[in-house]
Amino acid sequence: MNNFCTDKEDQKKEKRNRGTSIEVCGYPLSIFFIVVNEFCERFSYYGMRAVLVLYFKYFLRWDDDMATSIYHTFVALCYLTPILGAIVADSWLGKFKTIIYLSIVYALGQILMAVSAIHDITDTDRDGSPDNLTIHVVLSMVGLFLIALGTGGIKPCVAAFGGDQFGDHQERQRRTFFSVFYLCINGGSLLSTIITPILRAQECGIHSKQDCYPLAFGVPAALMVVALVVFIVGSGMYYKAEPQGNIMLDVCKCIGFAIKNRYRHRSKRFPKRTHWMDWAEEKYDKLLIAQIKMVLKVLFLYIPLPMFWTLFDQKGSRWTLQATNLDGNFGALVIQPDQMQTVNPILILTLVPIMDSLIYPLIKKCGLNFTPLKRMTVGMFLAAMAFVCAALVQLQIDQTLPTFPSASESQIKLLNMGSNPLTVTVNQMNPVELPAAQASPDYLTVKGQTITVSTVNPAVSQQFTLTFEHRQTLLIPSNVSQEWLLIADSTSKPEKGVNAVRFVNGMNKMVNVTNFDVIEPFYYSNYTLLKNGKRSFIIQSGAQSCDFSTTFGFGSSYTFFIPSTFTFGTNCQESITAIEDIKPNTVHMALQIPQYFFITAGEVMFSVTGLEFSYSQAPSNMKAVLQAGWLLTVAVGNFIVLIVAELAKLPKQWAEYVLFASLLVAVCVIFSFMAYFYTYIDPTEIEAQFKKKDDDDDYGDKKKKASIEMVKRDSVTSQDDAGRRTKM
């Protein structure tokens, strides 16, 4: 009776968990909500992550190393928390509740990130920069922690929850679902990496206009809220399996018992066992122990793998920072530095079918045994080549970067504001010929602070005190006997690819220039930051005006000199002198495409093949353990970036790229030796042997038990016969 009641309760529970079963074209309607949820969540995550390192550098004002370290700490947390999410879902809450609760945490984190990027919150002086960065840092760090907890926690649940919606008769539909599911992941990643950098490049603000990080973070936050709402709307249709316990906990307990038992029996009087896991036989089933042995064999191969992820995930940090010093003008299209990451998902969608349908079959036809471990080795080598390409691009960039003065140096440029040429000497250096209304072609580097500047005809000499580590321009008036003016120049390359522009007025009357204040006679304006492209200025003096236009690249600094001979009219802009203080970015962003190609080809051969190999070498009930191990290698790889960025402190970025490439090549060699001695196994066959052995043992036990029963019956019969004979 009790068993009957329990069965009825289980049936009711199963019915309640199953939800309302509605099918569309043979698919459960519930999966459409799951697919939309996944697309929105991936858009939210990758969209936020695309602009994150630039937010650290330009909004929070962190240097490149600090921005890189925090970025990779965040990514590492995102790959550690899935283990926690899987344990919570399988052992406590179930997948449905875990997704709901952690999605709420996730959405709150995204909202906090959007709020942390609003500069007007602490911009009391309304100059466009936050006055209390601590508030913004705290908000963003709390937001990132919640995002890492949310995105990592739901990562192992959503795909498995979607698979649960299908019955045993819907195997084909389940396979199609997973294909569409992973297509949504790549689609969300691709679109968000294109859109959010465009949103970031907009200008917004209440009191002053700045890069619109609130919008760049706000849209992903809105998509995460949409993902949560869509998932909740379909709750009545889902099949919600009850928590069945997490295999990872069982594996950890079994390994822990084996280690503890081995330690207790460490004395030589105890006989040795074939494998150290055999010390768990006193408590655990032999089949489970055999399965754990197979998993440990694969996990041992995982030891060198974090180095691949160390390089791979830098495309979102170091490579994005590298792109800020490149020319993103592709003609009709201008690419933002953080948009270059879109090359990765585009190449993934292209290379995966090419590899599967063309490259691998071609290699097989050539008679080469291109095993999964060999593919992974080649993938690691390709990733190392990607960083060699990055180092070559960095060398090209370094050649175009200006050389700024050191702590014991100063730099000075000379500008002849007169209408006659001048010969000028600085500190007994070689004389510099200055044509009329022209500047010296390069900065002069001087060691001391005090300099003497002399002209030959007329002979005038003046002394000036320079500032160490700074660049300055000396304005020499047309009448050299009048006061000379020493002005400060840009001492760093303009950030975000913008251009620093100022005007110097060499006329004896005031002028007004568009976007600049009124410039006094023989004086200069402050720098104004302008984006790339064609820019027009209107120079006015009284009723007269001049239309002046020029085209800017990325990351330059210009001084435009209006000479004393300037005349307003049709050809007025021809008499304006453009002085290039800092050259624009001349290395094109297209040079990053080869490194993205190599890293993506490496990802396809390493990541896709690695998961396929791992799954083929592990028992069916141990897939979650391998998934946890794989995600752990990603987390460790990001921590390695953190360590190298903080400890290496290499003076040149190209040297750091070469260091990472060299480390991966060394690891690649080690992994190739490990792969050479690895023996491929068939987990199904091994499990079948153990099950057959158990069945044989069970059969033997039953046969032995039957023999004992027969002996007992014979004994009883013989005793009865003896009793009867005695009575007779």
Side-chain angles (χ1 to χ4, degrees):
M1 182 68 181
N2 289 335
N3 289 338
F4 177 72
C5 292
T6 304
D7 291 341
K8 286 187 72 176
E9 287 174 4
D10 290 342
Q11 288 172 6
K12 289 179 181 178
K13 201 173 187 181
E14 177 70 15
K15 189 175 181 182
R16 186 167 62 250
N17 290 342
R18 173 58 63 182
T20 306
S21 180
I22 302 174
E23 291 190 2
V24 177
C25 300
Y27 293 87
L29 183 60
S30 55
I31 66 157
F32 294 99
F33 294 95
I34 296 171
V35 166
V36 173
N37 166 271
E38 181 65 13
F39 175 83
C40 294
E41 187 274 327
R42 289 291 85 186
F43 186 106
S44 176
Y45 174 72
Y46 283 108
M48 177 278 304
R49 187 171 140 176
V51 300
L52 188 59
V53 74
L54 297 186
Y55 168 76
F56 290 155
K57 180 175 182 178
Y58 296 132
F59 189 90
L60 298 183
R61 313 305 300 175
W62 291 343
D63 61 24
D64 288 3
D65 287 340
M66 182 67 172
T68 300
S69 298
I70 300 300
Y71 174 88
H72 286 284
T73 302
F74 165 70
V75 175
L77 285 176
C78 289
Y79 284 96
L80 280 176
T81 49
I83 301 172
L84 177 64
I87 294 173
V88 169
D90 291 342
S91 305
W92 182 28
L93 292 177
K95 299 184 187 72
F96 176 74
K97 289 182 180 178
T98 302
I99 294 170
I100 291 290
Y101 295 156
L102 290 181
S103 292
I104 294 172
V105 171
Y106 192 169
L108 287 175
Q110 290 281 31
I111 292 169
L112 278 178
M113 280 301 298
V115 172
S116 74
I118 303 174
H119 65 271
D120 291 300
I121 293 175
T122 61
D123 186 15
T124 53
D125 56 5
R126 301 184 179 182
D127 65 346
S129 299
D131 298 324
N132 189 350
L133 277 176
T134 305
I135 294 176
H136 297 274
V137 170
V138 170
L139 285 173
S140 60
M141 292 303 101
V142 173
L144 288 176
F145 176 77
L146 294 179
I147 291 170
L149 189 63
T151 188
I154 68 175
K155 189 187 291 288
C157 300
V158 179
F161 186 71
D164 289 345
Q165 307 308 306
F166 294 88
D168 295 335
H169 64 287
Q170 295 176 304
E171 187 61 34
R172 182 182 60 81
Q173 288 89 340
R174 184 186 281 115
R175 285 198 302 269
T176 306
F177 161 74
F178 281 117
S179 298
V180 174
F181 185 84
Y182 290 109
L183 183 64
C184 286
I185 293 176
N186 285 293
S189 167
L190 176 60
L191 286 177
S192 64
T193 315
I194 294 172
I195 293 171
T196 50
I198 296 174
L199 299 177
R200 174 199 58 79
Q202 307 304 308
E203 292 187 344
C204 62
I206 300 172
H207 305 300
S208 59
K209 303 297 182 183
Q210 298 295 327
D211 280 357
C212 206
Y213 287 104
L215 184 61
F217 290 138
V219 170
L223 264 292
M224 191 57 226
V225 173
V226 170
L228 176 59
V229 171
V230 167
F231 188 75
I232 292 174
V233 167
S235 61
M237 306 178 197
Y238 299 139
Y239 166 65
K240 303 162 191 172
E242 290 294 322
Q244 301 294 324
N246 193 276
I247 189 66
M248 285 187 287
L249 294 178
D250 296 335
V251 170
C252 292
K253 288 177 182 177
C254 184
I255 293 174
F257 179 79
I259 295 171
K260 187 167 63 175
N261 198 31
R262 176 68 184 91
Y263 181 76
R264 282 203 302 261
H265 299 82
R266 62 187 181 277
S267 175
K268 291 183 179 179
R269 60 193 179 89
F270 294 105
K272 290 185 178 181
R273 300 188 182 182
T274 308
H275 192 279
W276 62 271
M277 275 302 302
D278 293 334
W279 288 97
E281 289 179 351
E282 284 84 347
K283 186 176 179 180
Y284 291 91
D285 182 59
K286 288 186 178 181
L287 177 60
L288 177 64
I289 294 170
Q291 290 170 334
I292 294 175
K293 287 179 183 178
M294 288 185 273
V295 167
L296 290 175
K297 191 177 179 183
V298 177
L299 290 178
F300 177 72
L301 283 176
Y302 280 5
I303 294 174
L305 303 191
M307 203 64 218
F308 173 86
W309 301 112
T310 298
L311 276 68
F312 177 78
D313 279 328
Q314 288 190 64
K315 61 184 173 55
S317 57
R318 290 295 195 197
W319 288 11
T320 300
L321 294 173
Q322 183 187 64
T324 60
N325 291 316
L326 297 172
D327 180 4
N329 189 356
F330 284 79
L333 186 65
V334 176
I335 299 295
Q336 299 295 326
D338 35 1
Q339 280 183 315
M340 274 303 289
Q341 298 174 59
T342 58
V343 176
N344 177 248
I346 291 172
L347 286 174
I348 285 178
L349 296 174
T350 306
L351 288 177
V352 168
I354 291 177
M355 290 286 190
D356 289 339
S357 60
L358 182 63
I359 304 298
Y360 294 153
L362 190 61
I363 293 174
K364 190 175 181 180
K365 280 189 176 181
C366 293
L368 299 175
N369 185 20
F370 201 36
T371 63
L373 291 179
K374 288 179 181 177
R375 294 182 196 175
M376 293 175 67
T377 306
V378 173
M380 296 169 79
F381 181 76
L382 289 175
M385 292 302 98
F387 266 62
V388 172
C389 293
L392 294 175
V393 172
Q394 191 63 45
L395 284 171
Q396 293 292 318
I397 293 171
D398 290 347
Q399 291 176 5
T400 65
L401 294 176
T403 303
F404 292 105
S406 65
S408 60
E409 295 177 335
S410 302
Q411 290 182 340
I412 186 170
K413 180 175 279 192
L414 308 172
L415 173 58
N416 179 11
M417 299 176 69
S419 55
N420 297 311
L422 285 175
T423 302
V424 184
T425 304
V426 178
N427 277 3
Q428 307 302 317
M429 295 181 181
N430 292 330
V432 178
E433 299 293 335
L434 295 179
Q438 295 292 328
S440 53
D442 297 307
Y443 281 92
L444 304 175
T445 302
V446 294
K447 293 291 184 183
Q449 266 191 306
T450 304
I451 62 169
T452 301
V453 183
S454 307
T455 59
V456 176
N457 187 17
V460 177
S461 181
Q462 293 197 29
Q463 281 193 339
F464 298 92
T465 301
L466 303 179
T467 306
F468 283 140
E469 295 186 88
H470 281 70
R471 286 180 159 189
Q472 293 169 287
T473 295
L474 182 61
L475 305 182
I476 305 174
S478 54
N479 184 357
V480 294
S481 59
Q482 292 179 343
E483 181 185 4
W484 296 12
L485 191 61
L486 191 65
I487 63 176
D489 296 353
S490 295
T491 54
S492 62
K493 197 169 177 65
E495 296 178 337
K496 311 175 192 176
V498 297
N499 303 276
V501 178
R502 68 179 175 186
F503 281 81
V504 173
N505 181 14
M507 297 194 296
N508 58 3
K509 55 185 177 181
M510 294 187 301
V511 295
N512 191 350
V513 183
T514 308
N515 297 326
F516 294 85
D517 295 330
V518 174
I519 308 174
E520 299 291 333
F522 308 111
Y523 208 65
Y524 63 97
S525 70
N526 293 324
Y527 279 110
T528 294
L529 300 178
L530 302 174
K531 292 187 176 182
N532 68 293
K534 189 173 183 180
R535 295 288 177 264
S536 297
F537 308 94
I538 299 176
I539 304 173
Q540 290 181 316
S541 179
Q544 296 177 306
S545 65
C546 170
D547 292 331
F548 169 61
S549 62
T550 187
T551 302
F552 295 103
F554 296 85
S556 65
S557 178
Y558 283 94
T559 297
F560 291 106
F561 175 55
I562 305 172
S564 57
T565 56
F566 179 80
T567 55
F568 292 92
T570 307
N571 300 321
C572 59
Q573 70 174 18
E574 295 178 2
S575 57
I576 296 176
T577 303
I579 303 167
E580 191 177 67
D581 299 328
I582 297 177
K583 293 181 178 180
N585 301 342
T586 54
V587 181
H588 203 274
M589 206 175 281
L591 288 182
Q592 276 196 324
I593 293 177
Q595 66 199 55
Y596 273 100
F597 174 81
F598 280 117
I599 201 76
T600 306
E603 179 190 6
V604 171
M605 299 189 76
F606 178 88
S607 182
V608 177
T609 306
L611 284 171
E612 176 191 335
F613 161 77
S614 303
Y615 278 34
S616 71
Q617 296 297 291
S620 58
N621 64 334
M622 295 285 173
K623 308 297 186 187
V625 179
L626 283 179
Q627 181 70 16
W630 186 264
L631 294 174
L632 188 61
T633 65
V634 183
V636 173
N638 280 273
F639 280 128
I640 293 173
V641 182
L642 173 67
I643 294 167
V644 173
E646 290 299 321
L647 297 182
K649 298 294 184 183
L650 296 174
K652 296 292 185 180
Q653 184 57 54
W654 66 265
E656 185 179 291
Y657 289 144
V658 172
L659 172 63
F660 279 120
S662 303
L663 289 173
L664 186 56
V665 168
V667 168
C668 185
V669 172
I670 295 170
F671 181 76
S672 64
F673 278 105
M674 295 171 67
Y676 179 78
F677 292 104
Y678 181 83
T679 304
Y680 289 85
I681 60 172
D682 185 355
T684 308
E685 185 179 333
I686 295 174
E687 287 177 316
Q689 290 174 1
F690 272 89
K691 290 175 182 177
K692 185 175 183 296
K693 187 177 180 182
D694 290 342
D695 292 341
D696 291 343
D697 290 342
D698 290 342
Y699 177 73
D701 291 341
K702 289 178 181 178
K703 190 173 181 181
K704 187 176 181 181
K705 189 175 180 181
S707 299
I708 293 171
E709 291 295 331
M710 288 178 66
V711 169
K712 284 181 179 178
R713 285 197 298 271
D714 291 344
S715 175
V716 171
T717 304
S718 62
Q719 288 176 6
D720 290 344
D721 292 343
R724 289 193 194 97
R725 283 194 298 269
T726 303
K727 286 176 183 178
M728 288 174 66

